[in-house]
Amino acid sequence: MGNNYNIKRNVPEPDTADINKFKDFDALLAGYQNTESTQEGGQIRAFISPREGQSNSRMRRWIVMGSSLAAAAAVALLLIVRSLDDLPTPAQSLAVADAYFAQKPFVNPPLAKVKPQGKKISIDVALGASVDLNEGTRLVIPRTAFQNDRGQLIQAGEVDVFYREMHDAVDFFMAGVPMTYDSAGMRHYLQSAGMIEIIATQNGQPVGMAPGKKIRIELQSNVVPQADGSWPTFKVYHLDTLARNWEFRGSSSMVFDEAMQLDPISNTEQQFEAKKSAILAADPAPLPPAKPIKPDGKAISFNMDLRSGEIPVEPGSEEAVASLQKGSIWQVLPNCPSFDPALLNLEWKSAGLKRLSEVEYELTLIDDSQQLRLLVQPVIIGKEFENALKRYDEALARYQLEFAEWEKRSNQNIKALEERYKIETDSQAGKSNLSIARKVHHIFDINAFGIWNCDRPAPLASNSFRIRTIEDQNGNKYPNQTAYLTDKSGGSVYQLHTGRGSTVYFDSKKEYLLWLMTPEGKLAIVKTQAEWADSNPKKGVKLNVKIFDREIRNEADLRRALKSN
């Protein structure tokens, strides 16, 4: 069949007269006609994650073409604004901003001469290491934790681990790391307790982490109680530079430095949570039985009977093994990392099994020289499936009765604990309103190299204003730049586009600092935020920035410049 299509793509571009008619839009259009922006060139860091920059050339060309078309469409949207006094609509401004950032590297350090300071640690692969770094940081690296780019386990020799930490707005700005998190169609700020970048090489070649291995991170920071006196909880995210977003990887544990003063109210709440956890640990919820599943006939499946004791199981696997049904075999899940199926024919010395959900398991096959990590589910074949289904119905009925009894019992115990907790907190109310920061060790495991963030997502602030123009003391305007916004806490940096009509979100109760880098590489700082709250949404705010004339040579220069505001 022939292609009977006649698609016309030669859409006329707006001429100079049309562009000039709309004031500053000509500068915006000129900025988008150049795919490679000369205003804010991204700089190569001292070391980068092996995942960055590995998309193939065809994909990179597609991304550039797509963002250029989006930019042209965004500018076309702006040209429909009828009044010279009104700003473009928020949707139009957002389209321009999205197209602008789509052209930029996702990780985009803005300062050419300021290099990040990291640490190089040499690790004996066969021994692993527990490394104590400055300011309370610790890395616990297990033995034989690395594999080469061909997926082969590295069993001997030294591996160089490069590590750096980022703790405040200056660190995040220098790294060029985005601090927004998109989830379920909502955008959040990431309020960070600490961010790390970690990679490894052997003989100058990047290496990855071996399947089933994890590096434990103990990261120290200062944490301030929330308004109600309770302590915030923090989650862990891994930066996916290909998907251009943060990937949620679980929660971190917090261990407080007991040498510091305790807030009686928040300490009482910690005791309550600890006692509640103890109640649930002493009487855990019964686990539901796994419903038998038939093989789908397409996925890889294999027979390995862990219940019979034919292959030894690792400590901690007993409960997961006990949940398996008689007659089940293993089927590899679609989200399992790629592997050589021939490895399933080897004689493995032992196996580890972890139950991830009702039907999903992590199976780790272990030998002296290698490990194979698989994501699998048990399936049942033949006539045994009908028998398994009957056993499941019986087990499900027993489980429902057991769960109802457990739920009633647990609710009664926790309700009694809550009543005691309320009496204690009521007696403490008014006696202490301490809001001191405390040192906390955030503990979490990572299973891949790159950039990791220990933080808590916060929604965009409820107050906002819109940019009309940004102008320095010499009359120069900056309509097509990246600006950076942080509050006094310094726990996050929000990147925004300086285009006409761009929206800036802020909390009227907080103090903020807003700055940008000029095309000449100079720092320009907004000196006041007094007019933000009284801004007209149709007219916007004219932001006056002051150019910092001194050269930014290092991190100390940058901190002095921002502090001088």
Side-chain angles (χ1 to χ4, degrees), residues 36 107 115 154 179 201 353 364 396 499 503 505 508 521-522 552:
E36 296 294 334
V107 178
K115 304 297 182 183
I154 300 174
M179 297 290 288
T201 64
L353 189 66
T364 304
L396 181 62
T503 302
Y505 296 91
S508 59
K522 291 187 176 181
I552 305 294

Side-chain angles (χ1 to χ4, degrees), residues 173-233:
F173 167 69
M174 288 171 49
V177 177
M179 297 290 288
T180 53
Y181 173 59
D182 295 333
S183 176
M186 297 290 291
R187 175 157 294 184
H188 300 77
Y189 292 98
L190 290 180
Q191 299 289 331
S192 181
M195 188 185 304
I196 68 167
E197 181 173 21
I198 181 170
I199 65 170
T201 64
Q202 186 177 56
N203 301 322
Q205 298 299 313
V207 302
M209 290 187 61
K213 295 291 186 176
K214 296 180 180 179
I215 294 178
R216 171 146 295 186
I217 307 293
E218 296 184 17
L219 187 68
Q220 183 173 284
S221 73
N222 294 326
V223 178
V224 177
Q226 300 178 109
D228 62 358
S230 64
W231 295 100
T233 57

Side-chain angles (χ1 to χ4, degrees), residues 120-384:
K120 176 183 173 182
I121 310 161
S122 294
I123 303 295
D124 187 324
V125 172
L127 299 177
S130 177
V131 183
D132 290 312
L133 302 174
N134 295 338
E135 300 180 354
T137 296
R138 172 177 291 178
L139 307 182
V140 181
I141 303 174
R143 64 184 185 88
T144 58
F146 309 96
Q147 64 179 6
N148 60 26
D149 57 1
R150 296 183 298 279
Q152 298 171 334
L153 191 69
I154 300 174
Q155 302 182 57
E158 286 193 345
V159 163
D160 293 325
V161 175
F162 296 88
Y163 176 88
R164 67 163 166 156
E165 291 184 17
M166 294 157 271
H167 283 279
D168 62 15
V170 173
D171 292 334
F172 307 144
F173 167 69
M174 288 171 49
V177 177
M179 297 290 288
T180 53
Y181 173 59
D182 295 333
S183 176
M186 297 290 291
R187 175 157 294 184
H188 300 77
Y189 292 98
L190 290 180
Q191 299 289 331
S192 181
M195 188 185 304
I196 68 167
E197 181 173 21
I198 181 170
I199 65 170
T201 64
Q202 186 177 56
N203 301 322
Q205 298 299 313
V207 302
M209 290 187 61
K213 295 291 186 176
K214 296 180 180 179
I215 294 178
R216 171 146 295 186
I217 307 293
E218 296 184 17
L219 187 68
Q220 183 173 284
S221 73
N222 294 326
V223 178
V224 177
Q226 300 178 109
D228 62 358
S230 64
W231 295 100
T233 57
F234 291 87
K235 300 178 180 179
V236 178
Y237 297 84
H238 184 230
L239 190 65
D240 189 333
T241 56
L242 298 180
R244 297 175 73 94
N245 198 14
W246 290 94
E247 181 184 9
F248 172 65
R249 290 296 190 90
S251 299
S252 70
S253 301
M254 295 200 305
V255 177
F256 288 87
D257 187 340
E258 295 300 333
M260 298 188 68
Q261 184 178 2
L262 297 176
D263 179 358
I265 293 178
S266 59
N267 187 41
T268 301
E269 182 162 345
Q270 291 175 45
Q271 292 177 3
F272 167 76
E273 292 297 334
K275 291 178 181 178
K276 181 179 176 181
S277 298
I279 289 174
L280 298 177
D283 186 13
L287 292 175
K291 187 175 182 178
I293 300 173
K294 289 182 177 180
D296 63 12
K298 298 178 182 179
I300 298 173
S301 60
F302 60 97
N303 188 10
M304 180 175 289
D305 189 357
L306 300 181
R307 293 168 57 95
S308 66
E310 177 182 346
I311 179 172
V313 295
E314 292 290 302
S317 304
E318 296 84 0
E319 186 175 347
V321 171
S323 68
L324 300 176
Q325 298 188 48
K326 180 182 177 182
S328 60
I329 64 172
W330 297 108
Q331 178 173 278
V332 178
L333 291 167
N335 59 333
C336 179
S338 60
F339 68 100
D340 182 359
L343 294 174
L344 297 174
N345 295 322
L346 299 180
E347 292 187 7
W348 298 92
K349 284 195 171 181
S350 63
L353 189 66
K354 180 179 180 181
R355 190 176 183 182
L356 303 178
S357 69
E358 185 177 338
V359 297
E360 185 175 356
Y361 291 76
E362 180 183 82
L363 174 64
T364 304
L365 304 178
I366 303 169
D367 203 350
D368 292 335
S369 60
Q370 61 182 332
Q371 293 186 1
L372 177 60
R373 174 179 168 271
L374 302 171
L375 295 179
V376 295
Q377 64 178 172
V379 295
I380 300 179
I381 59 177
K383 295 182 179 179
E384 186 60 34

Side-chain angles (χ1 to χ4, degrees), residues 56-77:
N56 59 50
S57 59
R58 180 180 299 177
M59 179 60 74
R60 285 197 295 270
R61 286 197 297 271
W62 185 90
I63 291 170
V64 170
M65 290 173 61
S67 56
S68 299
L69 290 172
V75 173
L77 282 172

